[in-house]
């Protein structure tokens, strides 16, 4: 596996592949890789000749009181895992390669309609930071396709919208959430959980499954489903940001005619803020 740290080397490598007519897949990450990332890379491997993975803890998507400084950074272990997974290249830039001197954040990508709701309400500016860095990374890697986890469902929806609205020529592939045996969605932030908080954490998956069954059985009292789910998480010791039933195509409140739902939640316990979701197709 080739490790590159500067954009010139990345571009030269990708150009050589392109000249040979090779198809390039991209998996953007913030590192501290786990089996969920492994699955994204394995999917990318099946869909293209070359797989590029980036590791960049993007300062622009963290709020002033968030965990940018504490975010786990494990580059040596990450590189070993990626080599095992047969990734072709790891792009691990420092901040100046992505935000050169003089970049004042005055050029950015924003989708307010999708970015200011749900997690965006609690993390102002987060999705602007995500969308901006993802477009920058797309412009640097120039992949044919990029793989993102469905655990960050709002992020995935925003990226799909940006790609469609800006006519970017990259195919976006969503990958199902990887879970621990007790249902907890895999996440780098799970390492913030104490033993007691870890024991409580599967309540999130459980509450989502109950809500899913309500929708599947024809219940359309969305407010009640949200209250029940949020109440279960509060009872399990979480401080709730939201538990919401939405139309999965646009993240807006569903109507009686909606048939494709997503139930999303974000809740805090101890030092961790956990997110998860489940999609429900109902007739
Ligand atoms: O999902 C993530 O890890 C990040 O938000 C991403 C897409 C790598 C952008 O920094």
């Amino acid at each position: 596996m080739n490790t590159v740290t500067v954009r010139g080397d990345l571009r030269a490598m990708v150009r050589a592949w392109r000249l040979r007519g090779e198809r390039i897949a991209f998996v953007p990450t913030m590192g501290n890789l786990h089996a969920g990332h492994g699955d994204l890379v394995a999917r990318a491997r099946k869909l293209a000749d070359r797989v590029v993975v980036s590791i960049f803890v993007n300062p622009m998507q963290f709020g002033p009181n968030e965990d940018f400084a504490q975010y786990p950074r494990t580059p040596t272990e990450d590189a070993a895992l990626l080599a095992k997974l047969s990734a072709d290249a790891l792009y691990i830039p420092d901040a100046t390669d992505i935000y050169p001197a003089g970049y004042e954040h005055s050029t950015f990508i924003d989708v307010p309609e999708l970015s200011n709701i749900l997690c965006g309400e609690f993390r102002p500016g987060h999705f602007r930071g995500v969308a901006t860095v993802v477009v920058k990374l797309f412009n640097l890697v120039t992949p044919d396709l990029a793989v993102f986890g469905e655990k960050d469902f709002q992020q995935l929806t925003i990226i799909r919208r940006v790609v469609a609205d800006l006519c970017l020529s990259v195919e976006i592939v969503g990958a199902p959430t990887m879970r621990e045996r007790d249902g907890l969605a895999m996440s780098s932030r799970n390492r913030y959980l104490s033993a007691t908080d870890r024991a409580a954490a599967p309540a999130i998956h459980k509450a989502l499954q109950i809500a899913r069954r309500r929708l599947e059985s024809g219940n359309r009292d969305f407010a009640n489903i949200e209250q029940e789910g949020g109440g279960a998480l509060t009872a399990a010791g979480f401080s709730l940001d939201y538990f919401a039933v939405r139309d999965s195509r646009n993240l807006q409140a569903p109507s009686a005619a909606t048939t494709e739902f997503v139930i999303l939640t974000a809740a805090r316990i101890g030092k961790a803020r956990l997110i998860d979701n489940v999609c429900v197709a109902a007739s």
Side-chain angles (χ1 to χ4, degrees):
M1 186 180 70
N2 245 346
T3 298
V4 291
T5 57
V6 291
R7 56 168 79 178
D9 294 347
L10 173 69
R11 284 190 157 133
M13 183 181 62
V14 170
R15 203 175 308 123
W17 292 339
R18 284 239 172 275
L19 282 173
R20 284 188 236 136
E22 292 176 331
R23 189 169 153 80
I24 297 163
F26 177 43
V27 182
T29 80
M30 297 207 302
N32 191 234
L33 305 180
H34 49 67
H37 296 106
D39 179 64
L40 304 184
V41 175
R43 279 169 198 272
R45 185 71 282 163
K46 287 196 188 126
L47 296 170
D49 304 302
R50 298 289 182 175
V51 177
V52 180
V53 178
S54 65
I55 294 181
F56 179 61
V57 185
N58 172 33
M60 194 176 170
Q61 68 189 72
F62 288 79
N65 299 318
E66 293 188 346
D67 57 342
F68 175 69
Q70 299 84 46
Y71 197 85
R73 289 158 171 89
T74 52
T76 310
E77 294 84 342
D78 293 348
L81 176 68
L82 292 173
K84 236 197 235 164
L85 291 166
S86 310
D88 294 282
L90 167 60
Y91 173 49
I92 180 159
D94 70 27
T96 56
D97 213 45
I98 303 292
Y99 300 113
Y103 180 79
E104 298 294 348
H105 295 210
S106 52
T107 305
F108 52 80
I109 307 288
D110 206 3
V111 192
E113 177 192 320
L114 293 174
S115 293
N116 296 340
I117 57 174
L118 301 165
C119 281
E121 212 180 309
F122 297 87
R123 303 187 68 191
H126 168 67
F127 290 114
R128 173 188 290 193
V130 170
T132 302
V133 82
V134 167
V135 169
K136 278 169 161 280
L137 290 166
F138 284 173
N139 285 335
L140 291 166
V141 177
T142 61
D144 296 285
L145 66 100
V147 188
F148 291 85
E150 287 173 356
K151 182 176 88 71
D152 295 290
F153 193 87
Q154 188 173 5
Q155 166 174 287
L156 178 58
T157 306
I158 290 168
I159 289 162
R160 286 192 197 284
R161 178 72 65 84
V162 168
V163 165
D165 286 358
L166 299 183
C167 314
L168 303 184
S169 78
V170 53
E171 180 194 340
I172 302 300
V173 177
T177 303
M178 295 285 284
R179 298 183 179 281
E180 306 290 352
R181 291 162 80 99
D182 58 9
L184 176 65
M186 289 185 184
S187 163
S188 302
R189 288 189 168 101
N190 289 351
R191 63 160 58 195
Y192 298 155
L193 294 166
S194 69
T196 319
D197 297 340
R198 176 64 188 81
I204 294 190
H205 182 57
K206 212 165 142 196
L208 287 169
Q209 292 306 316
I210 292 171
R212 175 180 65 76
R213 288 197 288 274
R214 300 268 181 267
L215 288 175
E216 281 175 348
S217 66
N219 186 335
R220 293 296 176 266
D221 187 345
F222 306 124
N224 186 263
I225 294 171
E226 291 175 353
Q227 243 170 33
E228 183 186 37
L233 293 185
T234 308
F238 285 87
S239 159
L240 186 72
D241 279 359
Y242 62 84
F243 190 100
V245 181
R246 295 293 167 99
D247 186 315
S248 65
R249 292 160 309 173
N250 54 22
L251 300 182
Q252 304 306 309
S255 69
T258 303
T259 54
E260 288 173 42
F261 300 94
V262 57
I263 312 159
L264 311 103
T265 187
R268 297 167 198 264
I269 192 160
K271 291 194 183 112
R273 179 179 187 274
L274 304 180
I275 60 170
D276 201 351
N277 67 81
V278 63
C279 285
V280 186
S283 46

